[in-house]
Each structure stands twice: as structure tokens, then as C-alpha cells.
Amino acid sequence: MAAITPSTILPTHHLGMLAPKQNRRMIEDYRPGYPRFTALIAAHDLYFISRRFSKLRARLLLLKQDRLVVLERQLEEADQAEVCPLFLARRRSDVNPTRQALLAEIESRLADYDCFLEKTHRMLSYDRAKSRDVLSLRNWVGGTACLARNESEYLEERDLITLGTTQDNALSFLQDWIEDRFMYWYSGYRQRPLHDMSSDSNVYAYSGSLVRRTAKVLLLALLASSLLTPAIVCNFVNNMKARVIVIVIATVSFLVLLSALTKSKSMELAVAGATYATVLVVFLSNVNSGYP
């Protein structure tokens, strides 16, 4: 297999339970081409990357909408041109063939329009593909030449989505960051026993718990430091203004950390910041009540 620049990344925290080693086939055991590429994708949920086709969906949505607008106007014109008021007041007596045909077509096209709206809404709700995962697939395809160039060009598009999901965005972010550090700084990382999904030395497909545990420790350390550091600093500060400054800096830092590691909404950040600042003020005022 050709070398892959700088590496194909398969994060450990997204690998599920693996089959016993003697029954498990490596990615390179499949024939080059789509069999091997699909084996790689199947090993990692977030590699289920495809295009959203946003422009095509917008084009079709506009066309379907305009057809309904035209039908709506035609129905209004048919109503205005009706010579028998009874047909407009009593549906069972309405035998106007033009109106009947328009209503039937409107019903059909409106059902199609509603269905397309729901599908488009569902498509727009999928997460964007992470640049790290897209780059991994690009590197793998470019290094192995398993796919025709024109059939892998979709990885260069900007409207890529992933069908996979992550349960904890903060933990996932830290795991990606830690694994990148291991790949470049830990020379023995690729030789660990659980790198057993690919025989290519440039493919990192680790199924162990080292990265996940390291990320959890780092996350707990960040949370603990954000909570305890202001209290520890204020214990050494006697001036009230300096303590207020510490609380402000700690709150801003906490919100920056929260917004970077999670997908919190503005209101959720506001509530979290207010709660954090309140706890700090109450706690520090009680602890430091003996200071002038």
C-alpha cells in the first residue's frame, strides 16, 4: 500500500466492540477499490460522510414552491370566473371540471412539497462533517489510489455531512486533540497492541482505551481548575477590587471554555455564566469574610 500523508486517523473513542482477533479482517484484506474503502468507512461512524446537495435542494424547493404559487393563482381565477355561486358554496354540487382538476393537482403537488420540506429539514439537521475526518479520508484515498479521482472528488466539496453522532462533544474534542498529540509525539503509539484494524503503518486505527481515559482525566482537570483556581487565588488576595477582578476573569474563562468544548446556545451560556459567577461570589465572600 502506498504511503499516506501524514496519516489516516481513526479515533479510538468511536470504535465499537470489535470481533475476536482471529475472526476479524483487516482493512487491507479487502480488494482495492470500493470494497476496501467501504471497509474503512464501516469501521468509524463519523466516516459515513456524504454531500447534502444544498444548492440542488434549494433549486428543487423553489421550483416546487413556484408550481404551487401558479396553481394557487389559477384556482383563484377559476373561483372568480365561476358563474354559478352554488358551486362555490356547496362542494357536493360543484361540477366545475377546471376547479376539480386544479384541486386534485394542488393536493398532489402539496403532498410532494410537504414531503420534500420534511426531508430537507432532516438533511439540514445532520452535523457537518469534521474537517479532521474529511482530511483522513482524503489522505487515505490519495495514498492508496483505491478510487477513481472523479469518484472521490465529493470529499473536496463544502456541503459534507456525517451520519454519525458524538455523545459528548467536549470529550470528543479532547480525544481528537490528544490522539493527534500521540501520533506526532509518542513514537510507540502506532506499535501499541490494539492498532489491529489495518496493517498499513500510516493508518491509525486504535481500539484501546488510552486516549479515552487520558481525555477524561484532562477534562476533569480543566473542570476542577476552573472551579477551584479562583477560590485558591482569592485566598491569597486581601483587596476586594482584586477579588472582583479574579471573579470576572474566572467567569469569562469559564464561558470561553464552555463555548469551545460544547454546542451551548447563547441562553444556556448566560445561565451557566450567571450561576458560576453567583457561586463564586457567595463562596468567596463567605471564605474571605474575615478580610477587610
Side-chain angles (χ1 to χ4, degrees):
M1 180 181 292
I4 302 176
T5 63
S7 65
T8 291
I9 306 165
L10 188 56
T12 171
H13 51 287
H14 295 301
L15 288 172
M17 297 299 294
L18 301 178
K21 187 171 182 179
Q22 62 271 20
N23 298 326
R24 187 166 64 250
R25 299 176 65 182
M26 290 191 174
I27 294 172
E28 288 73 24
D29 291 336
Y30 295 86
R31 294 193 63 181
Y34 277 102
R36 187 173 297 180
F37 187 48
T38 52
L40 173 67
I41 292 176
H44 181 22
D45 289 348
L46 294 184
Y47 279 176
F48 279 82
I49 294 173
S50 59
R51 290 190 60 188
R52 182 179 279 138
F53 292 106
S54 301
K55 289 189 293 185
L56 293 181
R57 292 181 182 279
R59 180 69 173 269
L60 289 176
L61 185 61
L62 291 174
L63 293 178
K64 292 177 183 294
Q65 176 181 260
D66 188 63
R67 291 192 186 104
L68 284 170
V69 170
V70 172
L71 290 172
E72 182 182 38
R73 291 175 180 173
Q74 290 177 355
L75 180 61
E76 292 176 353
E77 292 173 357
D79 290 341
Q80 291 296 328
E82 181 59 61
V83 296
C84 182
L86 180 62
F87 290 173
L88 297 178
R90 183 178 174 85
R91 181 194 62 81
R92 297 180 184 180
S93 301
D94 185 11
V95 293
N96 186 313
T98 301
R99 183 164 41 251
Q100 295 297 329
L102 283 173
L103 288 173
E105 186 176 1
I106 287 174
E107 182 179 11
S108 175
R109 291 193 180 278
L110 194 58
D112 177 62
Y113 180 75
D114 292 343
C115 181
F116 189 76
L117 279 180
E118 292 177 358
K119 291 181 178 180
T120 301
H121 175 71
R122 184 167 66 250
M123 185 62 66
L124 293 176
S125 67
Y126 287 121
D127 292 335
R128 287 185 176 274
K130 295 164 60 177
S131 58
R132 183 175 187 266
D133 296 327
V134 176
L135 180 60
S136 294
L137 291 182
R138 289 176 185 170
N139 289 339
W140 190 89
V141 171
T144 61
C146 276
L147 290 184
R149 184 181 299 274
N150 58 351
E151 294 188 22
S152 62
E153 287 180 347
Y154 77 95
L155 292 172
E156 304 295 332
E157 299 293 337
R158 300 180 61 181
D159 61 342
L160 295 176
I161 60 172
T162 177
L163 304 183
T165 58
T166 55
Q167 298 297 326
D168 189 333
N169 292 315
L171 190 61
S172 175
F173 173 82
L174 289 177
Q175 287 177 175
D176 290 346
W177 184 84
I178 289 171
E179 189 164 35
D180 287 343
R181 305 288 84 73
F182 280 172
M183 286 165 50
Y184 290 107
W185 298 343
Y186 180 16
S187 58
Y189 180 58
R190 183 60 180 83
Q191 283 71 44
R192 292 185 67 85
L194 291 178
H195 265 111
D196 52 4
M197 292 195 64
S198 174
S199 59
D200 189 342
S201 60
N202 292 300
V203 176
Y204 288 76
Y206 180 58
S207 58
S209 60
L210 174 64
V211 175
R212 182 172 61 255
R213 291 179 179 177
T214 304
K216 287 183 177 180
V217 170
L218 180 58
L219 181 60
L220 291 175
L222 289 173
L223 293 176
S225 62
S226 65
L227 294 173
L228 299 178
T229 299
I232 295 174
V233 172
C234 287
N235 278 329
F236 295 96
V237 176
N238 297 335
N239 186 276
M240 179 58 71
K241 291 183 179 179
R243 275 184 260 166
V244 171
I245 293 174
V246 170
I247 293 176
V248 171
I249 295 176
T251 303
V252 172
S253 301
F254 174 77
L255 291 177
V256 170
L257 180 65
L258 193 65
S259 63
L261 296 181
T262 65
K263 295 182 178 179
S264 301
K265 298 180 181 178
S266 299
M267 185 56 65
E268 294 172 344
L269 287 175
V271 173
T275 304
Y276 180 79
T278 301
V279 171
L280 285 181
V281 170
V282 173
F283 176 75
L284 295 177
S285 62
N286 291 335
V287 171
N288 298 291
S289 58
Y291 290 133

